[in-house]
Every structure is written in structure tokens, then in C-alpha cells.
Amino acid sequence: MSTWQQRGDYLVSIAQHCLQGHSHFDLCRSHLVKASQISRGTIYNHFPCEADLKLAVITAELSHQLAQTKLVEAHFTDSLHQFLYHHCNRLHEVVCKRRFSYVRDLPDEAMLEQASEQYRNTYLRVEQQYSRWNSQCVDAIGIVPGFDRKALVKSYIRGCMIEALDNVHQCGNIMLYQQFSFAVAQLLGHSDKRLPAGQAMLDWFDSQ
């Protein structure tokens, strides 16, 4: 491979592939040797500690989600629909593509302290960007007073993602996305608004 960055990106993509269908992060640097056909020494140079590999994968997943937000912004003008399509697509990727989700492995202070500065700073920057998008999207939908709705929705979405990781769902189950959308809209205080149709969501997911 021509550059250090390209090799690092390749190793992260191999790690993501290895984690497909896994309910939690159970990958070590040593696992990448056989999977990538790259020497242990090179892998350990790229990821000096296990926390670096974990943060690199989580950062890649966050970057993927940020890219997905651009797609919904390009296709939908309604903020509620942008928010619902985005998070339903996250759910769809876990259910139908068995994409790994880091929701059970959120970095804590101990992991961030263990990680190299490069991986820690990159993660914090990308995580902040993704959190800002979610927060601004909810603001645009309209804050209904009475509860900390951002925290409620964030917790609910995380719970749904964990449930999807732990259980097998039918890929074309329209009700899964309709129920998810209704619950999110209700937690946001906007259950009276028109929600995306389940089949329209499935068609859009398949077109991406």
C-alpha cells in the first residue's frame, strides 16, 4: 500500500468487516494479522494499544453516519423526516446488513486516557460533529418543553440499536421502522406530525 494513511484505513475496514454481526466490540489487534495479511509489527505500529484500534473503528462508524446525514439533507427538507430517515437507516444497516454498531461500546474516560493522542483527538472531533448534527436537527424540528427530549431520544435510539444487535429481525419488516419513527416522534413531542411511510423508507434504504 502506498501510504501509511491508506494502510491504516485498510486495517480499519478489515476490522469493521470482522465485526459484522457482532453485538459488541470483541476484536483485538492480533486478530487483524490473519484477516489483513499484514504483519503483527505493522499493525501494532498503526495501533499502539487496543484502545487505539477501538477508537479508530468507532470513529470510522461515526464518519459513516456523518456521511449519511448529508444524504438525508440532500433528499428531504423536513427536519423530522431527516432525523427519522437517518436513524431508521442506522437501524436498517444493523438489521439487514449486520453492520457493527458501537452503541454498547461507547468510549469512557479510561479508554480515552489509554488511547494515543491522535486517535483520541480525531474521535472527539468527529463525535462532536455528529452530536452537533443531531442536536441541531432536533432544534430545527422544534423543542417542546417539559422534558429533556434530546436525552430521552438519544437513550431510546441507543436502546433500539442494542436490541437490534442482540436479536434477529426480518429485513423487510415495515412495522419495525414505523414503530420506531412513532416512538421517536412521540418522545420529541411531535406525534401529531406526518411521519414517513414505512414502504417509502424501505425503498429509500434499498436505493442507497
Side-chain angles (χ1 to χ4, degrees):
M1 297 194 179
S2 57
T3 70
W4 180 265
Q5 184 62 51
Q6 286 175 331
R7 186 184 292 112
D9 292 343
Y10 170 72
L11 288 170
V12 170
S13 70
I14 292 295
Q16 289 174 295
H17 178 75
C18 291
L19 287 165
Q20 278 187 331
H22 291 221
S23 63
H24 62 283
F25 194 101
D26 55 1
L27 189 71
C28 297
R29 292 174 296 170
S30 59
H31 296 156
L32 291 181
V33 176
K34 182 177 180 180
S36 68
Q37 297 298 301
I38 292 177
S39 70
R40 183 185 298 266
T42 298
I43 291 170
Y44 280 47
N45 281 334
H46 273 280
F47 308 110
C49 66
E50 299 295 345
D52 288 340
L53 173 60
K54 193 170 186 177
L55 275 186
V57 171
I58 293 174
T59 301
E61 290 297 325
L62 282 167
S63 296
H64 170 72
Q65 291 172 24
L66 273 172
Q68 294 297 309
T69 65
K70 303 302 180 185
L71 289 178
V72 295
E73 287 177 341
H75 282 81
F76 309 103
T77 57
D78 182 86
S79 297
L80 178 59
H81 283 212
Q82 290 175 354
F83 193 79
L84 293 176
Y85 266 92
H86 171 65
H87 287 289
C88 280
N89 187 56
R90 289 180 62 198
L91 195 60
H92 179 264
E93 288 186 326
V94 170
V95 170
C96 297
K97 301 178 182 179
R98 306 311 296 164
R99 188 181 185 97
F100 171 72
S101 177
Y102 60 87
V103 289
R104 187 178 265 124
D105 300 277
L106 296 172
D108 55 17
E109 289 299 323
M111 185 194 302
L112 292 174
E113 288 179 5
Q114 293 169 13
S116 304
E117 183 177 6
Q118 169 195 348
Y119 290 104
R120 179 173 61 250
N121 289 345
T122 303
Y123 162 76
L124 290 172
R125 174 176 54 80
V126 177
E127 193 279 332
Q128 184 181 54
Q129 290 174 351
Y130 184 60
S131 293
R132 185 186 305 120
W133 182 86
N134 279 279
S135 180
Q136 290 176 345
C137 199
V138 172
D139 287 340
I141 294 168
I143 296 294
V144 177
F147 302 96
D148 185 349
R149 297 189 182 275
K150 290 181 180 180
L152 285 172
V153 169
K154 183 178 181 179
S155 178
Y156 175 76
I157 291 173
R158 180 172 182 264
C160 288
M161 296 295 291
I162 290 174
E163 194 277 336
L165 287 168
D166 288 344
N167 298 284
V168 176
H169 293 276
Q170 184 179 356
C171 185
N173 183 2
I174 293 176
M175 289 299 297
L176 177 68
Y177 307 105
Q178 289 179 326
Q179 291 170 356
F180 176 85
S181 296
F182 179 76
V184 170
Q186 192 170 43
L187 289 171
L188 288 170
H190 291 285
S191 57
D192 58 323
K193 290 190 176 181
R194 184 176 181 179
L195 304 179
Q199 187 59 54
M201 278 191 165
L202 289 180
D203 292 342
W204 190 77
F205 299 153
D206 291 339
S207 71
Q208 300 310 303

